[in-house]
Amino acid sequence: MKILVTGAAGFIGSYVCKRLLSRGDEVVGLDNINTYYDVNLKYGRLQTLGIAQEQVGWYKFVQSKSYPNFRFIRMNLEDRQAMQMLFANEGFDKVMNLAAQAGVRYSIENPYAYVESNVDGFLNVLEGCRHNGIKHLIYASSSSVYGLNGKVPFSEKDSIAHTVSLYAATKKSNELMAHTYSHLYGIPSTGLRFFTVYGPWGRPDMSPFLFADAILHDRAIKVFNNGDMLRDFTYIDDIVEGVLRVIDHIPAGNPNWCAEHPDPSTSTAPYKIYNIGNSQPVKLMDFIQAIEEAIGRPAEKIFLPMQPGDVYQTNADTTSLQKELGFKPDKPIKEGVKETIEWYRSFYHI
């Protein structure tokens, strides 16, 4: 099977590429390697896939030195002509779209970057699927789409009418756009709402790395909403296992779908939404304590109010994932944090 993975130099994308390659798929990885965070981390991930930094150039395929079935190309999703040529020339069977401008708080400061990458770029992915017979489009959504939803745990059947950040709004728009293309053109599509992903090779703008970096360099950590928050921290291996199962599970449409009592996670179209989360929300202060224990020293804390775009709690209902794909994320938080901190200290030589 030949699969396009966008965001291949990203946190989840690099892991997904490695898993697909290890089972024998042919993979083309795409990423624009933008400077939203340290590009050395992105090139480090690519190095684990056999792609050397000095080989990478714009619109240039690089053959992996470690995986015969892996090639990488640096491109922007929003480059319509380049995307059309890529789809037409490569003959992909499936597409895993993990490329996006990430970050809730950054979206408040840089709104245009989110529309260009997450909306315009996603439209180019959909058009590529439409015109080239793609058998299944899988794409990253986010738990942030639940916004002001006060009912917990968050179910795919819940309303996502009230997002509270532009990032979340672009992810919600991806789900709407995907359903439209599934309905109009019969493209099977599955959206994945990820819940607070962490682990080795994770993003440096996420709390595990912000906290670890501050503690290891004797700086105070910022604790928002005075620490009164809950997050459904989900370890990277659990996320990737869920992604792999979804790639192989092509939605066919729900013949029993009822417009009078609609389930927004499914449709008569070949369309599906899944939560992928640990479904065991952790208090922010308990998560900080796990990091302190893994590092071996306490953190100096600065308590601050809730930030714009943040939500108080995330909590995944993974009933659909368990029932339909036979999988439930279950990595204990202390184990995951310990492995994350060990990698962090090794990568940054601390």
Side-chain angles (χ1 to χ4, degrees):
M1 191 185 317
K2 187 173 185 179
I3 302 174
L4 170 66
V5 177
T6 72
F11 179 25
I12 301 173
S14 59
Y15 275 85
V16 169
C17 285
K18 194 171 293 185
R19 280 288 302 275
L20 290 171
L21 291 164
S22 68
R23 73 177 197 177
D25 290 313
E26 180 182 356
V27 179
V28 171
L30 179 154
D31 203 293
N32 66 357
I33 316 180
N34 67 29
T35 56
Y36 169 61
Y37 61 80
D38 183 11
V39 296
N40 291 318
L41 184 58
K42 299 181 182 184
Y43 282 117
R45 295 178 188 132
L46 288 176
Q47 186 69 48
T48 69
L49 291 164
I51 303 295
Q53 179 174 349
E54 59 271 15
Q55 293 180 289
V56 176
W58 285 99
Y59 305 103
K60 170 189 170 186
F61 274 110
V62 180
Q63 174 63 51
S64 168
K65 295 178 180 178
S66 305
Y67 297 95
N69 288 343
F70 182 64
R71 291 178 298 143
F72 176 80
I73 187 167
R74 187 177 186 184
M75 273 177 51
N76 283 313
L77 284 189
E78 54 267 37
D79 188 330
R80 186 192 307 179
Q81 184 176 7
M83 289 291 288
Q84 288 173 345
M85 291 178 62
L86 179 72
F87 271 87
N89 292 338
E90 291 298 320
F92 301 117
D93 296 302
K94 298 181 181 181
V95 174
M96 178 73 236
N97 185 61
L98 293 165
Q101 179 57 59
V104 169
R105 293 171 192 146
Y106 187 75
S107 70
I108 295 171
E109 303 166 8
N110 300 274
Y112 289 101
Y114 287 76
V115 174
E116 290 166 2
S117 177
N118 301 4
V119 179
D120 294 348
F122 190 63
L123 177 60
N124 289 335
V125 171
L126 287 169
E127 282 289 289
C129 293
R130 171 191 173 189
H131 293 292
N132 295 278
I134 300 302
K135 298 180 179 68
H136 191 190
L137 166 65
I138 311 94
Y139 60 95
S141 185
S142 168
S143 62
S144 64
V145 300
Y146 289 107
L148 294 179
N149 178 29
K151 171 186 163 293
V152 290
F154 298 156
S155 167
E156 300 94 336
K157 298 179 181 181
D158 293 341
S159 168
I160 56 169
H162 301 103
T163 56
V164 294
S165 70
L166 183 63
Y167 169 71
T170 63
K171 289 299 185 178
K172 177 180 175 180
S173 74
N174 287 172
E175 295 183 6
L176 295 170
M177 294 162 72
H179 180 267
T180 300
Y181 271 66
S182 293
H183 173 74
L184 289 175
Y185 309 114
I187 302 167
S189 69
T190 304
L192 304 177
R193 293 175 181 167
F194 297 134
F195 281 71
T196 317
V197 190
Y198 77 102
W201 294 103
R203 284 177 18 217
D205 63 321
M206 298 291 284
S207 59
F209 296 89
L210 293 173
F211 292 156
D213 187 69
I215 295 169
L216 288 165
H217 291 93
D218 299 314
R219 299 194 311 271
I221 64 173
K222 296 178 180 179
V223 183
F224 294 110
N225 203 40
N226 297 307
D228 185 22
M229 289 196 288
L230 291 162
R231 288 290 179 269
D232 205 343
F233 292 101
T234 312
Y235 194 66
I236 182 63
D237 290 351
D238 284 337
I239 291 287
V240 175
E241 179 62 30
V243 169
L244 267 286
R245 295 194 184 209
V246 167
I247 286 174
D248 296 331
H249 187 80
I250 300 176
N254 182 1
N256 299 317
W257 190 83
C258 175
E260 293 182 2
H261 304 284
D263 172 358
S265 72
T266 185
S267 167
T268 54
Y271 168 89
K272 184 66 182 176
I273 297 289
Y274 290 106
N275 288 335
I276 303 185
N278 202 43
S279 44
Q280 294 181 334
V282 175
K283 292 180 180 179
L284 181 59
M285 296 305 294
D286 291 341
F287 187 71
I288 292 170
Q289 183 180 357
I291 294 175
E292 291 172 324
E293 290 177 3
I295 291 175
R297 73 178 79 160
E300 179 186 350
K301 303 171 186 71
I302 301 174
F303 292 96
L304 297 168
M306 184 83 91
Q307 297 295 288
D310 273 354
V311 295
Y312 164 69
Q313 176 172 344
T314 63
N315 183 356
D317 179 341
T318 58
T319 302
S320 291
L321 189 72
Q322 295 175 56
K323 184 186 298 183
E324 298 171 25
L325 300 178
F327 176 64
K328 182 183 185 301
D330 61 2
K331 183 77 168 184
I333 195 74
K334 288 193 175 183
E335 287 183 22
V337 167
K338 182 176 182 291
E339 292 174 17
T340 302
I341 297 303
E342 287 174 353
W343 169 85
Y344 185 91
R345 299 188 87 151
S346 173
F347 184 77
Y348 289 105
H349 308 292
I350 297 175

mmCIF file of all heavy atoms in Angstrom, residues 3-9 12-14 16-17 20 27-31 70 72 92 94-99 247:
data_model
loop_
_atom_site.group_PDB
_atom_site.id
_atom_site.type_symbol
_atom_site.label_atom_id
_atom_site.label_comp_id
_atom_site.label_asym_id
_atom_site.label_seq_id
_atom_site.Cartn_x
_atom_site.Cartn_y
_atom_site.Cartn_z
ATOM 1 N N ILE A 3 1.170 5.200 0.845
ATOM 2 C CA ILE A 3 0.485 6.157 1.705
ATOM 3 C C ILE A 3 1.254 7.473 1.746
ATOM 4 O O ILE A 3 2.478 7.483 1.947
ATOM 5 C CB ILE A 3 0.336 5.591 3.136
ATOM 6 C CG1 ILE A 3 -0.444 4.269 3.100
ATOM 7 C CG2 ILE A 3 -0.364 6.602 4.052
ATOM 8 C CD1 ILE A 3 -0.521 3.572 4.444
ATOM 9 N N LEU A 4 0.533 8.577 1.575
ATOM 10 C CA LEU A 4 1.094 9.906 1.783
ATOM 11 C C LEU A 4 0.869 10.293 3.237
ATOM 12 O O LEU A 4 -0.259 10.235 3.731
ATOM 13 C CB LEU A 4 0.416 10.928 0.867
ATOM 14 C CG LEU A 4 0.748 12.409 1.150
ATOM 15 C CD1 LEU A 4 2.222 12.701 0.864
ATOM 16 C CD2 LEU A 4 -0.157 13.328 0.329
ATOM 17 N N VAL A 5 1.946 10.681 3.928
ATOM 18 C CA VAL A 5 1.836 11.180 5.296
ATOM 19 C C VAL A 5 2.305 12.624 5.297
ATOM 20 O O VAL A 5 3.499 12.898 5.095
ATOM 21 C CB VAL A 5 2.670 10.344 6.285
ATOM 22 C CG1 VAL A 5 2.575 10.949 7.695
ATOM 23 C CG2 VAL A 5 2.207 8.895 6.300
ATOM 24 N N THR A 6 1.384 13.557 5.488
ATOM 25 C CA THR A 6 1.777 14.961 5.607
ATOM 26 C C THR A 6 2.109 15.254 7.065
ATOM 27 O O THR A 6 1.604 14.610 7.979
ATOM 28 C CB THR A 6 0.663 15.899 5.115
ATOM 29 O OG1 THR A 6 -0.416 15.896 6.065
ATOM 30 C CG2 THR A 6 0.147 15.479 3.748
ATOM 31 N N GLY A 7 3.000 16.215 7.280
ATOM 32 C CA GLY A 7 3.484 16.459 8.633
ATOM 33 C C GLY A 7 4.454 15.398 9.087
ATOM 34 O O GLY A 7 4.550 15.081 10.271
ATOM 35 N N ALA A 8 5.231 14.858 8.154
ATOM 36 C CA ALA A 8 6.104 13.714 8.447
ATOM 37 C C ALA A 8 7.265 14.062 9.368
ATOM 38 O O ALA A 8 7.839 13.173 9.998
ATOM 39 C CB ALA A 8 6.637 13.118 7.143
ATOM 40 N N ALA A 9 7.629 15.340 9.445
ATOM 41 C CA ALA A 9 8.681 15.754 10.376
ATOM 42 C C ALA A 9 8.103 16.179 11.714
ATOM 43 O O ALA A 9 8.838 16.602 12.606
ATOM 44 C CB ALA A 9 9.500 16.905 9.780
ATOM 45 N N ILE A 12 3.674 13.433 15.787
ATOM 46 C CA ILE A 12 2.899 12.226 15.479
ATOM 47 C C ILE A 12 3.281 11.666 14.123
ATOM 48 O O ILE A 12 3.410 10.457 13.938
ATOM 49 C CB ILE A 12 1.389 12.533 15.534
ATOM 50 C CG1 ILE A 12 0.992 13.041 16.917
ATOM 51 C CG2 ILE A 12 0.570 11.285 15.182
ATOM 52 C CD1 ILE A 12 -0.447 13.525 17.021
ATOM 53 N N GLY A 13 3.497 12.541 13.152
ATOM 54 C CA GLY A 13 3.786 12.109 11.786
ATOM 55 C C GLY A 13 5.013 11.233 11.669
ATOM 56 O O GLY A 13 5.012 10.233 10.937
ATOM 57 N N SER A 14 6.076 11.587 12.383
ATOM 58 C CA SER A 14 7.311 10.793 12.286
ATOM 59 C C SER A 14 7.105 9.391 12.851
ATOM 60 O O SER A 14 7.612 8.406 12.305
ATOM 61 C CB SER A 14 8.456 11.508 13.012
ATOM 62 O OG SER A 14 8.151 11.710 14.377
ATOM 63 N N VAL A 16 4.182 7.787 12.970
ATOM 64 C CA VAL A 16 3.283 7.066 12.061
ATOM 65 C C VAL A 16 4.058 6.536 10.861
ATOM 66 O O VAL A 16 3.873 5.384 10.439
ATOM 67 C CB VAL A 16 2.119 7.973 11.615
ATOM 68 C CG1 VAL A 16 1.340 7.332 10.463
ATOM 69 C CG2 VAL A 16 1.183 8.249 12.788
ATOM 70 N N CYS A 17 4.947 7.354 10.317
ATOM 71 C CA CYS A 17 5.767 6.902 9.182
ATOM 72 C C CYS A 17 6.554 5.648 9.551
ATOM 73 O O CYS A 17 6.582 4.664 8.792
ATOM 74 C CB CYS A 17 6.739 8.003 8.750
ATOM 75 S SG CYS A 17 6.002 9.367 7.848
ATOM 76 N N LEU A 20 4.280 2.542 9.796
ATOM 77 C CA LEU A 20 3.838 2.094 8.472
ATOM 78 C C LEU A 20 4.970 1.404 7.728
ATOM 79 O O LEU A 20 4.772 0.358 7.092
ATOM 80 C CB LEU A 20 3.322 3.281 7.658
ATOM 81 C CG LEU A 20 2.006 3.912 8.113
ATOM 82 C CD1 LEU A 20 1.745 5.202 7.343
ATOM 83 C CD2 LEU A 20 0.836 2.945 7.927
ATOM 84 N N VAL A 27 5.819 4.628 1.815
ATOM 85 C CA VAL A 27 5.406 5.900 2.399
ATOM 86 C C VAL A 27 6.128 7.058 1.737
ATOM 87 O O VAL A 27 7.346 7.026 1.549
ATOM 88 C CB VAL A 27 5.680 5.928 3.925
ATOM 89 C CG1 VAL A 27 5.281 7.272 4.525
ATOM 90 C CG2 VAL A 27 4.940 4.789 4.629
ATOM 91 N N VAL A 28 5.368 8.097 1.401
ATOM 92 C CA VAL A 28 5.931 9.383 0.991
ATOM 93 C C VAL A 28 5.611 10.366 2.112
ATOM 94 O O VAL A 28 4.452 10.569 2.467
ATOM 95 C CB VAL A 28 5.337 9.877 -0.339
ATOM 96 C CG1 VAL A 28 5.787 11.315 -0.625
ATOM 97 C CG2 VAL A 28 5.758 8.963 -1.479
ATOM 98 N N GLY A 29 6.651 10.950 2.696
ATOM 99 C CA GLY A 29 6.476 11.923 3.762
ATOM 100 C C GLY A 29 6.601 13.335 3.225
ATOM 101 O O GLY A 29 7.465 13.613 2.395
ATOM 102 N N LEU A 30 5.740 14.214 3.695
ATOM 103 C CA LEU A 30 5.735 15.615 3.263
ATOM 104 C C LEU A 30 5.718 16.503 4.494
ATOM 105 O O LEU A 30 5.014 16.233 5.459
ATOM 106 C CB LEU A 30 4.503 15.885 2.396
ATOM 107 C CG LEU A 30 4.265 17.296 1.843
ATOM 108 C CD1 LEU A 30 3.428 17.209 0.561
ATOM 109 C CD2 LEU A 30 3.555 18.220 2.835
ATOM 110 N N ASP A 31 6.513 17.587 4.461
ATOM 111 C CA ASP A 31 6.509 18.558 5.550
ATOM 112 C C ASP A 31 7.146 19.844 5.027
ATOM 113 O O ASP A 31 8.039 19.794 4.171
ATOM 114 C CB ASP A 31 7.322 18.035 6.753
ATOM 115 C CG ASP A 31 6.919 18.675 8.063
ATOM 116 O OD1 ASP A 31 7.150 19.893 8.218
ATOM 117 O OD2 ASP A 31 6.374 17.972 8.934
ATOM 118 N N PHE A 70 10.757 4.532 1.824
ATOM 119 C CA PHE A 70 10.420 5.875 2.307
ATOM 120 C C PHE A 70 11.152 6.953 1.520
ATOM 121 O O PHE A 70 12.366 6.891 1.331
ATOM 122 C CB PHE A 70 10.765 6.034 3.790
ATOM 123 C CG PHE A 70 10.386 7.380 4.353
ATOM 124 C CD1 PHE A 70 9.053 7.781 4.412
ATOM 125 C CD2 PHE A 70 11.358 8.249 4.840
ATOM 126 C CE1 PHE A 70 8.701 9.028 4.931
ATOM 127 C CE2 PHE A 70 11.011 9.483 5.372
ATOM 128 C CZ PHE A 70 9.676 9.876 5.412
ATOM 129 N N PHE A 72 11.046 11.444 1.166
ATOM 130 C CA PHE A 72 10.576 12.665 1.820
ATOM 131 C C PHE A 72 10.674 13.846 0.861
ATOM 132 O O PHE A 72 11.613 13.934 0.070
ATOM 133 C CB PHE A 72 11.410 12.956 3.072
ATOM 134 C CG PHE A 72 11.049 14.261 3.739
ATOM 135 C CD1 PHE A 72 9.934 14.344 4.577
ATOM 136 C CD2 PHE A 72 11.802 15.409 3.520
ATOM 137 C CE1 PHE A 72 9.586 15.550 5.185
ATOM 138 C CE2 PHE A 72 11.462 16.615 4.118
ATOM 139 C CZ PHE A 72 10.349 16.684 4.951
ATOM 140 N N PHE A 92 -1.149 7.589 -4.904
ATOM 141 C CA PHE A 92 -1.340 7.126 -3.526
ATOM 142 C C PHE A 92 -2.611 6.291 -3.393
ATOM 143 O O PHE A 92 -3.607 6.533 -4.069
ATOM 144 C CB PHE A 92 -1.445 8.326 -2.573
ATOM 145 C CG PHE A 92 -0.247 9.231 -2.585
ATOM 146 C CD1 PHE A 92 -0.360 10.552 -2.991
ATOM 147 C CD2 PHE A 92 1.001 8.769 -2.190
ATOM 148 C CE1 PHE A 92 0.730 11.396 -3.013
ATOM 149 C CE2 PHE A 92 2.112 9.603 -2.208
ATOM 150 C CZ PHE A 92 1.974 10.921 -2.620
ATOM 151 N N LYS A 94 -3.775 5.756 -0.001
ATOM 152 C CA LYS A 94 -4.392 6.414 1.148
ATOM 153 C C LYS A 94 -3.582 7.646 1.524
ATOM 154 O O LYS A 94 -2.405 7.769 1.176
ATOM 155 C CB LYS A 94 -4.495 5.452 2.336
ATOM 156 C CG LYS A 94 -5.376 4.230 2.065
ATOM 157 C CD LYS A 94 -5.469 3.301 3.266
ATOM 158 C CE LYS A 94 -6.341 2.086 2.950
ATOM 159 N NZ LYS A 94 -6.466 1.161 4.110
ATOM 160 N N VAL A 95 -4.233 8.547 2.264
ATOM 161 C CA VAL A 95 -3.583 9.782 2.709
ATOM 162 C C VAL A 95 -3.802 9.938 4.203
ATOM 163 O O VAL A 95 -4.928 9.830 4.692
ATOM 164 C CB VAL A 95 -4.140 11.009 1.963
ATOM 165 C CG1 VAL A 95 -3.570 12.297 2.543
ATOM 166 C CG2 VAL A 95 -3.844 10.911 0.473
ATOM 167 N N MET A 96 -2.709 10.196 4.942
ATOM 168 C CA MET A 96 -2.771 10.508 6.365
ATOM 169 C C MET A 96 -2.336 11.957 6.548
ATOM 170 O O MET A 96 -1.149 12.268 6.446
ATOM 171 C CB MET A 96 -1.838 9.562 7.134
ATOM 172 C CG MET A 96 -1.766 9.792 8.629
ATOM 173 S SD MET A 96 -3.235 9.271 9.519
ATOM 174 C CE MET A 96 -3.692 10.789 10.350
ATOM 175 N N ASN A 97 -3.292 12.854 6.759
ATOM 176 C CA ASN A 97 -2.985 14.283 6.844
ATOM 177 C C ASN A 97 -2.767 14.696 8.304
ATOM 178 O O ASN A 97 -3.722 14.859 9.061
ATOM 179 C CB ASN A 97 -4.104 15.125 6.233
ATOM 180 C CG ASN A 97 -3.738 16.599 6.221
ATOM 181 O OD1 ASN A 97 -2.757 16.989 5.588
ATOM 182 N ND2 ASN A 97 -4.490 17.425 6.927
ATOM 183 N N LEU A 98 -1.501 14.866 8.659
ATOM 184 C CA LEU A 98 -1.129 15.291 10.004
ATOM 185 C C LEU A 98 -0.492 16.673 10.003
ATOM 186 O O LEU A 98 -0.152 17.205 11.059
ATOM 187 C CB LEU A 98 -0.168 14.278 10.635
ATOM 188 C CG LEU A 98 -0.767 12.901 10.926
ATOM 189 C CD1 LEU A 98 0.330 11.876 11.207
ATOM 190 C CD2 LEU A 98 -1.736 12.971 12.096
ATOM 191 N N ALA A 99 -0.302 17.255 8.828
ATOM 192 C CA ALA A 99 0.296 18.587 8.725
ATOM 193 C C ALA A 99 -0.723 19.633 9.132
ATOM 194 O O ALA A 99 -1.877 19.587 8.716
ATOM 195 C CB ALA A 99 0.767 18.843 7.297
ATOM 196 N N ILE A 247 -6.363 3.640 9.895
ATOM 197 C CA ILE A 247 -5.941 3.607 8.491
ATOM 198 C C ILE A 247 -6.500 2.378 7.780
ATOM 199 O O ILE A 247 -6.921 2.434 6.621
ATOM 200 C CB ILE A 247 -4.394 3.638 8.395
ATOM 201 C CG1 ILE A 247 -3.881 5.052 8.708
ATOM 202 C CG2 ILE A 247 -3.918 3.208 7.006
ATOM 203 C CD1 ILE A 247 -2.371 5.154 8.786
#
